[in-house]
Amino acid sequence: MYTNATSKIMLEQEGDGFQVERGVRQGDTISPKLFNAVLQLVFNKIDFKAKGININGRKLNHLRFADDIALFSETIEELQEMINILNDAGRPLGLKINVSKTKIMSSEPEEDPVNINDEEVEYVEEFIYLGQIISFRNRQDKEISRRILNAWKGFWKLKDFLVTKRFPMHLKTKIFNMCILPILSYGSETWSLTNKNKKRLSTTQHSMERRVLGIRLKDKVRIETIREKTEFIDIIQFTGTRKWKWAGHVIRREDQRWTTETTNWRPRDGKRNRGRQFTRWRDELGKGWERLARDRAEWRRIARGPFPRKDE
């Protein structure tokens, strides 16, 4: 399939063909599989078993999604060693670490330098991994802000359908629920929403609904009346249900995936600071949720609204 592969560049006219001597064909459906196969060969040569973060006796040292690789380490020295091993293993197969796209995030204030091929890697307080902000500080507020911004961008791209009288409301409802709501709720299974952020999400949706109906805020039309007309899926109901289903799915797994292992993890070292605590992912699920979630039928029965009452 790749033997004697050629490409052409078209600007004002079609250029001459040239031989493809490296890489994979752009847009070829087999390209991701070929890349993953090569990357797997690299990790088959690597032994990270004794490195990483101790999670209930197992070492979490890396996560992979295509070429997005995250390495985990308890010390900077160990991290430097892991990077060197990965860099050396990938070089014979033509894979190089892009230093400009590589970042380091640390929970400690000390920032000892880490180098790749004599180039120093930048330290950051946050970065985006698989479409979400990863950070030790204030991640949730910033992620909600990104979701709201991206949702408005998607809304205005579809303004010719949503903010017009040419289309019936049932079509606008479908467009919103299928195109805008997923943008606004992307990654909501991992959220730990505060009341403040719930209000921000609801306010965003209410504003969009008023624009769809051509209603101004000063008209003082109740949101219940607006929702009866739009029939949009409520964002808080939607995100809560998704998280509820995901929590049950994770806790019932028995194949030792890291999603389940880290959810059940109780760190033995360190404790929470005094004073008001940050909302944790599990706090919204109520007490004893792990036991309830193992019964699929019961888990579905008690789910109503975003989450069941905390006294259950």
Side-chain angles (χ1 to χ4, degrees), residues 155-170:
F155 182 88
W156 291 119
K157 285 181 181 178
L158 296 171
K159 65 180 181 179
D160 292 338
F161 297 96
L162 293 171
V163 189
T164 180
K165 296 182 179 180
R166 292 183 297 164
F167 298 96
M169 181 53 65
H170 74 273

Side-chain angles (χ1 to χ4, degrees), residues 43-306:
F43 275 87
N44 287 343
K45 301 177 182 179
I46 294 175
D47 184 9
F48 282 162
K49 291 182 180 179
K51 306 181 187 306
I53 302 173
N54 190 342
I55 307 287
N56 294 335
R58 294 176 61 201
K59 290 285 189 176
L60 172 60
N61 44 55
H62 77 281
L63 295 175
R64 278 183 283 157
F65 187 87
D67 61 340
D68 289 326
I69 302 173
L71 300 180
F72 299 91
S73 174
E74 293 184 348
T75 65
I76 292 297
E77 293 76 17
E78 184 180 71
L79 179 62
Q80 178 69 76
E81 184 180 353
M82 293 172 68
I83 290 177
N84 293 340
I85 293 173
L86 177 60
N87 194 35
D88 293 341
R91 189 181 294 113
L93 295 174
L95 298 179
K96 298 180 181 179
I97 299 177
N98 190 327
V99 181
S100 64
K101 293 183 178 180
T102 303
K103 310 297 178 184
I104 298 177
M105 189 176 70
S106 174
S107 60
E108 301 296 333
E110 296 81 8
E111 297 183 354
D112 295 330
V114 175
N115 299 294
I116 301 176
N117 297 329
D118 297 327
E119 293 186 60
E120 189 170 331
V121 182
E122 179 187 3
Y123 275 85
V124 295
E125 293 189 356
E126 63 186 42
F127 64 93
I128 297 176
Y129 185 68
L130 302 183
Q132 287 203 69
I133 290 180
I134 306 297
S135 176
F136 289 110
R137 305 172 186 85
N138 201 26
R139 178 187 74 88
Q140 204 71 75
D141 291 347
K142 293 183 179 180
E143 179 60 27
I144 297 301
S145 297
R146 288 184 67 245
R147 291 295 102 218
I148 291 174
L149 177 62
N150 290 337
W152 275 115
K153 289 179 180 178
F155 182 88
W156 291 119
K157 285 181 181 178
L158 296 171
K159 65 180 181 179
D160 292 338
F161 297 96
L162 293 171
V163 189
T164 180
K165 296 182 179 180
R166 292 183 297 164
F167 298 96
M169 181 53 65
H170 74 273
L171 290 181
K172 295 181 180 180
T173 300
K174 284 186 177 181
I175 291 174
F176 180 87
N177 292 339
M178 295 174 63
C179 301
I180 308 302
L181 194 62
I183 299 175
L184 189 58
S185 62
Y186 176 79
S188 58
E189 294 89 345
T190 66
W191 291 352
S192 50
L193 288 177
T194 60
N195 289 332
K196 174 184 175 182
N197 283 329
K198 288 180 181 179
K199 184 175 181 180
R200 293 174 64 197
L201 290 169
S202 294
T203 300
T204 299
Q205 183 176 15
H206 297 164
S207 179
M208 290 179 177
E209 288 179 280
R210 286 194 297 270
R211 291 181 183 275
V212 168
L213 294 175
I215 297 175
R216 296 173 298 180
L217 186 61
K218 66 180 182 180
D219 293 333
K220 296 184 178 180
V221 180
R222 294 178 62 87
I223 189 58
E224 292 80 6
T225 303
I226 294 175
R227 186 61 53 80
E228 288 178 0
K229 296 179 179 180
T230 63
E231 296 184 353
F232 286 1
I233 297 176
D234 182 74
I235 180 62
I236 304 303
Q237 176 88 15
F238 185 69
T239 57
T241 301
R242 288 181 62 174
K243 180 174 178 177
W244 186 259
K245 291 180 179 179
W246 173 246
H249 180 66
V250 167
I251 210 66
R252 288 190 294 269
R253 283 176 171 167
E254 297 180 354
D255 54 4
Q256 293 187 320
R257 298 193 193 186
W258 283 118
T259 46
T260 304
E261 293 295 302
T262 52
T263 300
N264 293 328
W265 182 35
R266 297 291 191 277
R268 296 180 181 179
D269 54 339
K271 38 187 182 177
R272 306 186 85 186
N273 297 326
R274 290 184 178 181
R276 185 175 181 179
Q277 307 295 332
F278 289 108
T279 302
R280 296 175 296 186
W281 181 85
R282 60 175 60 244
D283 289 341
E284 294 178 289
L285 301 173
K287 295 181 179 180
W289 71 272
E290 297 99 329
R291 175 181 53 82
L292 292 173
R294 297 189 183 279
D295 186 338
R296 188 189 300 268
E298 181 69 8
W299 190 246
R300 288 178 176 176
R301 185 190 69 80
I302 64 176
R304 57 183 179 276

Side-chain angles (χ1 to χ4, degrees), residues 21-56:
E21 297 181 352
R22 61 185 300 176
V24 294
R25 285 180 173 178
Q26 295 296 317
D28 187 356
T29 55
I30 201 176
S31 296
K33 295 179 176 59
L34 290 174
F35 178 83
N36 287 336
V38 173
L39 192 60
Q40 185 62 50
L41 288 176
V42 173
F43 275 87
N44 287 343
K45 301 177 182 179
I46 294 175
D47 184 9
F48 282 162
K49 291 182 180 179
K51 306 181 187 306
I53 302 173
N54 190 342
I55 307 287
N56 294 335

